């Protein structure tokens, strides 16, 4: 596919998808671009349609051309999404930085830029952006939420909880509440149960699983394993394919030293998802308790084959090979 750009130069695509190019819809757009090469909306329309066909490299050329002609939000935001798909992170960061300077009060642009900085390994700059946005608008729950997620990644749990509390207070949506409950559960704070129970009372269709799972995590963390198992069973009752619920239920049985029940649960997790490395790892732990060395090593090797960075599984194989193993 070859068309003229705004400067009269040919815009070509190296990897032409003939099934896309030959569609009548594209012929009309190509003809229009040839007739009006300075119209950015034509390039934008074709780029969006190419994106819908998963022809992202071809769409990139059109987004670039549209951006050269008109540097506006309607072009830049889908262009930024295209750059993310293509893994052009530096170019995306540069685009969003330019956009933020042009539209400093646009919170969507600010949040996207903060996310880009965090993803590029500069969380400090991301936090500055979040704080600047919140200084302008302290009633923006989405920015508090995204700031909290970044603080979680930085292991600043106390600050993350404060940001989530503000987000949830401003807008009581389940996304904010469940993330806050999750952090409370990891901190062994019973407020996790209060939030989950409140959300479950609002769930008239009885579809939610996460509140039960988070309650299970809380009870497991405070070593009330039978109560944890009840919650994980509630998850499974609503969706029997919830692999994480089987894993956590199996770990609870393991901590209770009910190895047979733990093995049955981990095997069920494998039945549901046979590519989950954790299930094989914990099955190996059960084999170790039963002094079935070769079965344990086989399970650990399976875990490593699914996750080559599974250091704990490698370490347990080394321990077994050397005749030294932790319980």
């Amino acid at each position: 596919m070859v068309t003229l750009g705004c400067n009269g130069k040919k815009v070509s695509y190296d990897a032409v998808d003939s099934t896309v190019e030959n569609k009548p819809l594209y012929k009309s757009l190509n003809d229009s671009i040839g007739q009006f090469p300075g119209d950015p909306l034509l390039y934008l329309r074709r780029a969006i349609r190419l994106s819908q066909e998963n022809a992202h490299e071809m769409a990139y050329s059109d987004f670039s051309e549209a951006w050269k002609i008109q540097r506006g939000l309607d072009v830049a935001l889908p262009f930024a999404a295209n750059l993310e798909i293509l893994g052009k992170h530096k170019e995306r960061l540069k685009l969003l930085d330019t956009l933020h300077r042009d539209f400093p009060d646009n919170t969507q642009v600010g949040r996207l830029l903060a996310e880009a900085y965090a993803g590029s390994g500069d969380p400090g700059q991301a936090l500055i952006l979040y704080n600047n946005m919140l200084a302008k608008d302290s009633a923006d729950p989405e920015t508090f939420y995204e700031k909290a997620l970044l603080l979680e990644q930085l292991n600043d749990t106390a600050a993350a909880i404060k940001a989530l509390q503000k987000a949830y207070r401003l807008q009581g949506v389940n996304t904010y509440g469940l993330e806050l409950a999750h952090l409370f559960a990891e901190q062994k704070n019973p407020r996790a149960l209060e939030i989950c129970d409140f959300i479950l009372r609002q769930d008239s269709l009885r579809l939610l699983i996460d509140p039960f799972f988070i309650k299970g995590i809380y009870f497991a963390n405070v070593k009330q394993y039978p109560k944890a198992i009840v919650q994980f069973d509630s998850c499974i009752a609503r969706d029997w394919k919830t692999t994480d619920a089987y894993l956590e239920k199996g770990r609870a049985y393991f901590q209770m030293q009910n190895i047979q029940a733990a093995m049955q649960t981990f095997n069920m997790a494998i039945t549901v998802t046979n590519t989950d490395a954790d299930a094989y790892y914990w099955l190996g732990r059960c084999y170790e308790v039963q002094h079935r060395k070769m079965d344990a090593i086989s399970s650990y090797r399976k875990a490593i084959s699914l996750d080559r960075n599974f250091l704990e599984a490698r370490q347990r194989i080394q321990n077994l090979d050397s005749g030294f193993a932790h319980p």
Side-chain angles (χ1 to χ4, degrees), residues 107 130-141 143-144 170:
T107 55
Y130 285 134
N131 288 333
N132 288 343
M133 284 188 284
L134 291 170
K136 293 178 182 179
D137 182 5
S138 60
D140 178 5
T143 300
F144 275 117
L170 288 165

Side-chain angles (χ1 to χ4, degrees), residues 303-314:
I304 293 168
S305 74
L306 295 169
D307 180 0
R308 296 196 174 278
N309 296 318
F310 209 140
L311 299 180
E312 294 91 339
R314 292 183 185 278

Side-chain angles (χ1 to χ4, degrees), residues 14 55-64 76 78-97 116-117 119-120:
D14 295 329
H56 299 295
E57 287 286 358
M58 297 165 69
Y60 169 77
S61 296
D62 276 345
F63 279 128
S64 297
F79 189 17
N82 171 265
L83 292 171
E84 183 173 21
I85 291 170
L86 294 175
K88 297 179 182 288
H89 302 301
K90 290 184 179 179
E91 187 174 350
R92 180 173 182 267
L93 182 60
K94 183 179 179 181
L95 170 70
L96 290 171
D97 192 51
Y117 272 121
S120 67

Side-chain angles (χ1 to χ4, degrees), residues 32-106:
S32 296
I33 290 173
Q35 188 176 359
F36 305 103
D39 187 341
L41 295 182
L42 292 173
Y43 292 102
L44 179 62
R45 283 171 56 194
R46 191 169 66 181
I48 290 173
R49 288 201 173 109
L50 286 166
S51 297
Q52 292 169 348
E53 302 276 354
N54 292 322
H56 299 295
E57 287 286 358
M58 297 165 69
Y60 169 77
S61 296
D62 276 345
F63 279 128
S64 297
E65 197 68 24
W67 176 245
K68 289 175 187 174
I69 302 169
Q70 180 176 301
R71 293 167 62 152
L73 286 170
D74 55 343
V75 173
L77 292 177
F79 189 17
N82 171 265
L83 292 171
E84 183 173 21
I85 291 170
L86 294 175
K88 297 179 182 288
H89 302 301
K90 290 184 179 179
E91 187 174 350
R92 180 173 182 267
L93 182 60
K94 183 179 179 181
L95 170 70
L96 290 171
D97 192 51
T98 299
L99 205 60
H100 184 59
R101 288 198 300 270
D102 293 343
F103 302 93
D105 294 326
N106 187 292

